[in-house]
Amino acid sequence: MTALLLLVPLVTVVITQILALVVMPGEAHLRDLALARWALPWALSAIGAVGAAACVALALVPRPSADRALHLDVTAPPVLLGLSLVTVAAVVAGPLAWGRAVGEFHLVHHLVRGLLLIVVLVLYWRYVAVHR
């Protein structure tokens, strides 16, 4: 159960990135943006969605244990850590690139949102790890 609770933020990221992939082309068409302007944010959203889905899949791979229970490995392998870093970079950079493409780029807004998101996720993961 705790492993699934730990994966809630990653699954949420997958859903939000897929939503961005679906909505972005229509919004770009309404704003009359050329493909070159919204291609980078769309690609970053795709990388974020694939990376988060891969992190979920890697985290759910069962470890050999005595009881064969499915649980999340807190000491994640380097592949999972590297993939997580790439995913986080893409998820953070996607909205920044989209804001620049549509001319509504407010760095302070994105920095505050990012800092709040980091604090909430760290506290959430820490809470779940302590109550394991």
Side-chain angles (χ1 to χ4, degrees):
M1 178 64 180
T2 305
L4 295 177
L5 191 59
L6 281 169
L7 295 176
V8 168
L10 283 175
V11 172
T12 304
V13 168
V14 172
I15 292 169
T16 59
Q17 296 305 295
I18 290 173
L19 182 64
L21 289 173
V22 171
V23 172
M24 203 177 295
E27 183 67 21
H29 178 70
L30 288 175
R31 292 177 181 253
D32 202 25
L33 292 178
L35 176 62
R37 297 232 14 208
W38 63 273
L40 177 63
W42 195 87
L44 288 170
S45 295
I47 291 169
V50 171
C55 286
V56 169
L58 284 174
L60 285 177
V61 171
R63 295 189 305 178
S65 64
D67 60 348
R68 300 279 183 201
L70 181 68
H71 50 80
L72 187 65
D73 188 1
V74 176
T75 58
V79 173
L80 185 57
L81 291 176
L83 187 60
S84 296
L85 289 175
V86 169
T87 301
V88 167
V91 167
V92 170
L96 292 173
W98 175 254
R100 187 166 299 280
V102 297
E104 296 175 5
F105 181 77
H106 304 289
L107 184 60
V108 174
H109 164 77
H110 290 291
L111 290 177
V112 169
R113 183 182 61 85
L115 287 174
L116 288 174
L117 181 62
I118 289 169
V119 168
V120 167
L121 287 178
V122 167
L123 290 175
Y124 174 77
W125 282 69
R126 183 68 186 145
Y127 171 79
V128 173
V130 166
H131 292 87
R132 228 181 149 159

